[in-house]
Amino acid sequence: MNFDTLRNKFENLREQWADDSAVDFQFKNKQYSADLGQLALDIPFQHNKYLNHYTDISQIKASLEFEIRKLIREKREYYSGEADAKTYAAKPFGSRLSSAEMKTYLESDDDVINLEAKVKYLDQMLYWLDQVMRQISNRGFQIKSAIEWEKFVNGQ
């Protein structure tokens, strides 16, 4: 999965949340574009929707973390001179590295950095989804407060 795919997925999620979280109503002239009761009934469905997204992204992240482990093993073999001859024929490397040098090379390897950057980006997506689900969980209280405010404004 490349960064453009991740960015598009995240942008799509943010657009969905902008639509799902929109509530446009006015109390004084009773012009409702969203029924508060319907918003309350939609809470479990929205939570399920974003929980499914959270689960999917968590699985992608776990897959990438396993891929990083495998890649690091392959890079260790490559940098230590233990990889097979075909690997060196495709991508020659000068000499064996000490343990200290190995750490530096592994931390600065473009392939490793690319995968780690994707994992970090997925972490940001998961944090955002966690915050969305918290908002959804609190939405019942927000709707109740809006109803109470309407009652107060109408003198009830």
Side-chain angles (χ1 to χ4, degrees), residues 27 36-37 142-152:
F27 290 116
L36 293 175
Q142 295 164 348
I143 291 169
K144 182 179 180 194
S145 295
I147 292 169
E148 293 297 320
W149 177 254
E150 183 179 5
K151 286 180 182 178
F152 174 76

Side-chain angles (χ1 to χ4, degrees), residues 16 26 39 53 63 95-96 100 106 108-109 127 146:
Q16 287 179 41
Q26 297 174 344
L39 289 172
H53 286 304
S63 171
S95 61
R96 296 183 93 182
L106 286 173
S108 63
D109 186 89
Y127 174 77

Side-chain angles (χ1 to χ4, degrees), residues 3 23 28 30 32 54 79 83 85 95 101 104 144 147-148:
F3 272 112
V23 177
K28 293 186 180 180
K30 302 291 185 185
Y32 294 98
Y54 187 94
Y79 290 130
S95 61
E101 291 172 319
T104 302
K144 182 179 180 194
I147 292 169
E148 293 297 320

Side-chain angles (χ1 to χ4, degrees), residues 90-154:
K91 187 177 176 185
F93 185 70
S95 61
R96 296 183 93 182
L97 300 175
S98 68
S99 295
E101 291 172 319
M102 177 82 67
K103 182 179 177 187
T104 302
Y105 272 76
L106 286 173
E107 288 175 350
S108 63
D109 186 89
D110 288 338
D111 296 332
V112 174
I113 288 172
N114 188 31
L115 284 179
E116 288 177 345
K118 288 177 187 175
V119 169
K120 294 288 185 191
Y121 194 77
L122 289 170
D123 282 337
Q124 292 173 342
M125 290 174 70
L126 290 171
Y127 174 77
W128 182 85
L129 281 166
D130 182 59
Q131 296 304 308
V132 166
M133 289 190 303
R134 287 176 191 236
Q135 275 293 326
I136 292 169
S137 295
N138 291 329
R139 199 153 201 204
F141 298 110
Q142 295 164 348
I143 291 169
K144 182 179 180 194
S145 295
I147 292 169
E148 293 297 320
W149 177 254
E150 183 179 5
K151 286 180 182 178
F152 174 76
V153 168
N154 291 321

Side-chain angles (χ1 to χ4, degrees), residues 34-56:
D35 178 39
L36 293 175
Q38 186 59 50
L39 289 172
L41 292 173
D42 288 343
I43 292 171
F45 299 104
Q46 285 185 346
H47 191 272
N48 183 53
K49 175 183 176 178
Y50 289 96
L51 181 60
N52 286 334
H53 286 304
Y54 187 94
T55 303
D56 292 345

